Amino acid sequence: MASSLSIFIAMLGLVAIHLYTTVRRTKEIGIRRINGATSEAIFSLLTSDIVKWIVIAGIIAVPIIYYMASNMLNEYSNHTSLSWTMFVIPILIQCVIAILATSGVTLWALQQNPVNALKKE
């Protein structure tokens, strides 16, 4: 229960950060749409920032976790080996969860009229 609550709170923070950056980039999105960018291109542009940071965090965390887990497992007489899938699959799951959590904000930004975004200033 507590882990579900912490994951939910983390996803809310992720959505809030994504909403902030999307609103900040509203004019850029409008210009791209007027110039003929597809919805898929804009969607990948907005979600690539989040995926990039998740992958960077994973690259930093994996060596530390591997070192700590191998030291802990060496203390036991019957220990298992560490597989690369133990590290790659959670990073991929985090990327999928982040894309699903922020796709609503991205789809909202894609549905906005680009002319209204450019009129604001």
Side-chain angles (χ1 to χ4, degrees):
M1 180 68 185
S3 62
S4 300
L5 182 64
S6 65
I7 290 172
F8 179 72
I9 291 172
M11 285 177 31
L12 282 178
L14 183 65
V15 169
I17 290 172
H18 187 65
L19 180 63
Y20 174 73
T21 58
T22 303
V23 168
R24 234 184 49 219
R25 296 172 76 176
T26 303
K27 194 169 187 177
E28 175 190 353
I29 294 168
I31 291 171
R32 287 181 186 271
R33 291 202 47 214
I34 287 175
N35 286 332
T38 63
S39 296
E40 293 84 15
I42 296 173
F43 187 85
S44 66
L45 173 78
L46 293 175
T47 56
S48 66
D49 292 338
I50 294 171
V51 171
K52 176 183 69 171
W53 284 110
I54 291 172
V55 170
I56 289 171
I59 289 172
I60 292 171
V62 164
I64 297 168
I65 293 170
Y66 181 80
Y67 175 75
M68 292 174 68
S70 63
N71 282 345
M72 183 192 70
L73 289 174
N74 285 335
E75 294 177 7
Y76 295 104
S77 60
N78 296 331
H79 62 273
T80 183
S81 62
L82 296 173
S83 173
W84 63 272
T85 58
M86 292 179 184
F87 302 107
V88 174
I89 292 176
I91 293 172
L92 293 176
I93 291 172
Q94 288 174 349
C95 290
V96 168
I97 289 173
I99 289 171
L100 290 176
T102 59
S103 64
V105 175
T106 305
L107 293 176
W108 169 80
L110 290 175
Q111 291 175 352
Q112 300 300 315
N113 190 358
V115 175
N116 292 338
L118 297 175
K119 276 185 182 179
K120 286 183 181 177
E121 292 184 22

